Amino acid sequence: MRAAIIHGAHDVRVEERPDPTVREPTDAVIRTVATCVCGSDLWRYRGLAPVPEPKPIGHEYVGVVEEIGDAVNTLKPGDFVVGGFLHSDNRCPVCRKGMQSACPHGGGFDGCQAERIRIPNADGTLIATPGRPGADLVPSLLALSDVMGTGWHAAVSADVRPGSSVVVVGDGAVGLCGVLASAQLGATTIIAMSRHADRQAVATEFGATHVVPERGEDGLARVRELTEGIGADAVLECVGTEEARLDAVEYTRPGGMIGVVGLPHGDLPTDRLFWSNKGIRGGPAPVRAYLPHLIDLVWARQIDPGRVFDLTLPLSEVAEAYRAMDERRAIKVLLQP
């Protein structure tokens, strides 16, 4: 099969790999219908995270089940499935508490930007959709595999609730999905921090009530102007840089909550959080916990997170997909194997 392999900074290639097979009774193999490039993939692509040797890449997918192990009970060949970016057994005490991303029996995948994917813990990871989706629903279902689930986790972690004021730091796919999640959870003031017209348009479509392009002191002043002078009840940090994390702290009102889902780089000022009673929660999203509800919303066409995909390319052009996202010519690129 063909699969994307990262060799180093700015070097992603499509190469031939052996087809995956069922290795454990709990495995499934799916034929990939759609996959994509994630903002977190760019850390390695930009040379900000090490690539000591060529490695398959990608962790987002939707597909059709081709083969299952003898212990798989909830799926059958032919099912169209969605799964999170980490696999989990969905049975252990950690999973039962709703934190499948920390499942002690879980882990990552051997590259999902590929024509086929082996899914360990298939029963605990994959959910079959009610039927075969139309082509127009595929992007939104794919978004659930990571960015929509992660944006939702940011909002849940920040305790977004009806009537909340929210600031979303980051206008990538996760940040935009955080806007959408906040609107679904009932926030009435949703401030998207964005300086890019295309992303501002999606944020507004997703429910942002205000767009703030300013940064630094000007951005903080604008946020406070929109939040009774005190900052937002909930702030979603969807970037991961130290600058974004520091901004998130500033934008939060005393007693407010920060939901952190950006891949972390840099520290947080713990003392400043302490003296203003600001809370922080977050981490890798337990997508499996949110998938049933999010699939229902997509299937009923109540949300359309697939709008974050503004470029579609064949898998053979994966190098261009990475370039487009790296150069911010695309919000998120969908790949068709």
Side-chain angles (χ1 to χ4, degrees), residues 10-138:
H10 303 283
D11 186 3
V12 177
R13 312 173 196 174
V14 173
E15 299 179 359
E16 287 291 328
R17 297 189 68 205
D19 282 350
T21 59
V22 168
R23 299 181 192 170
E24 302 291 339
T26 51
D27 287 353
V29 172
I30 67 171
R31 174 176 54 81
T32 314
V33 171
T35 180
C36 53
V37 179
C38 182
S40 63
D41 295 330
L42 296 180
W43 290 102
R44 283 186 282 174
Y45 182 76
R46 290 169 173 161
L48 301 173
V51 182
E53 59 185 20
K55 186 176 180 60
I57 193 167
H59 52 263
E60 298 159 281
Y61 56 90
V62 291
V64 175
V65 176
E66 289 197 331
E67 186 180 0
I68 58 174
D70 292 341
V72 176
N73 299 308
T74 63
L75 305 165
K76 63 183 184 300
D79 283 344
F80 188 97
V81 291
V82 187
F85 59 86
L86 295 169
H87 64 86
S88 60
D89 64 19
N90 205 38
R91 297 191 312 268
C92 73
V94 171
C95 288
R96 293 201 305 272
K97 297 292 185 181
M99 200 46 61
Q100 289 90 333
S101 55
C103 176
H105 310 116
F109 302 104
D110 189 26
C112 294
Q113 292 164 14
E115 292 180 313
R116 287 177 176 79
I117 311 166
R118 171 180 167 258
I119 307 291
N121 287 315
D123 276 340
T125 302
L126 300 173
I127 297 180
T129 57
R132 186 64 65 93
D136 62 322
L137 281 184
V138 168

Side-chain angles (χ1 to χ4, degrees), residues 25-329:
T26 51
D27 287 353
V29 172
I30 67 171
R31 174 176 54 81
T32 314
V33 171
T35 180
C36 53
V37 179
C38 182
S40 63
D41 295 330
L42 296 180
W43 290 102
R44 283 186 282 174
Y45 182 76
R46 290 169 173 161
L48 301 173
V51 182
E53 59 185 20
K55 186 176 180 60
I57 193 167
H59 52 263
E60 298 159 281
Y61 56 90
V62 291
V64 175
V65 176
E66 289 197 331
E67 186 180 0
I68 58 174
D70 292 341
V72 176
N73 299 308
T74 63
L75 305 165
K76 63 183 184 300
D79 283 344
F80 188 97
V81 291
V82 187
F85 59 86
L86 295 169
H87 64 86
S88 60
D89 64 19
N90 205 38
R91 297 191 312 268
C92 73
V94 171
C95 288
R96 293 201 305 272
K97 297 292 185 181
M99 200 46 61
Q100 289 90 333
S101 55
C103 176
H105 310 116
F109 302 104
D110 189 26
C112 294
Q113 292 164 14
E115 292 180 313
R116 287 177 176 79
I117 311 166
R118 171 180 167 258
I119 307 291
N121 287 315
D123 276 340
T125 302
L126 300 173
I127 297 180
T129 57
R132 186 64 65 93
D136 62 322
L137 281 184
V138 168
S140 284
L141 292 169
L142 175 60
L144 304 188
S145 186
D146 185 346
V147 290
M148 186 63 211
T150 297
W152 194 275
H153 186 54
V156 169
S157 297
D159 197 27
V160 176
R161 59 181 68 188
S164 290
S165 59
V166 179
V167 171
V168 180
V169 180
D171 63 357
V174 171
L176 294 171
C177 287
V179 170
L180 181 55
S182 298
Q184 286 291 311
L185 291 169
T188 50
T189 299
I190 304 173
I191 303 165
M193 307 299 292
S194 175
R195 293 178 284 192
H196 303 88
D198 55 343
R199 298 163 191 247
Q200 292 172 349
V202 176
T204 300
E205 179 183 330
F206 279 1
T209 57
H210 304 84
V211 174
V212 173
E214 294 88 357
R215 293 292 182 271
E217 290 300 320
D218 290 341
L220 177 59
R222 183 70 178 130
V223 166
R224 288 182 174 167
E225 178 186 332
L226 296 168
T227 55
E228 302 181 274
I230 60 172
D233 300 320
V235 176
L236 282 52
E237 195 283 282
C238 302
V239 180
T241 63
E242 185 169 50
E243 180 183 7
R245 290 151 71 91
L246 294 174
D247 284 344
V249 173
E250 292 298 319
Y251 298 152
T252 308
R253 68 162 171 81
M257 196 73 185
I258 305 166
V260 176
V261 295
L263 196 64
H265 294 75
D267 294 325
L268 274 167
T270 306
D271 287 353
R272 283 160 61 191
L273 292 168
F274 175 84
W275 291 111
S276 55
N277 279 277
K278 297 177 184 180
I280 179 169
R281 185 168 55 204
V287 173
R288 180 60 180 79
Y290 306 129
L291 267 180
H293 179 55
L294 294 178
I295 289 172
D296 286 347
L297 290 176
V298 167
W299 206 260
R301 300 180 186 274
Q302 294 180 29
I303 62 172
D304 184 17
R307 279 280 289 110
V308 299
F309 294 105
D310 54 349
L311 179 61
T312 297
L313 293 172
L315 179 63
S316 60
E317 296 183 29
V318 68
E320 169 58 16
Y322 274 82
R323 283 193 296 269
M325 286 187 61
D326 180 43
E327 297 166 5
R328 298 184 73 87
R329 292 185 282 111

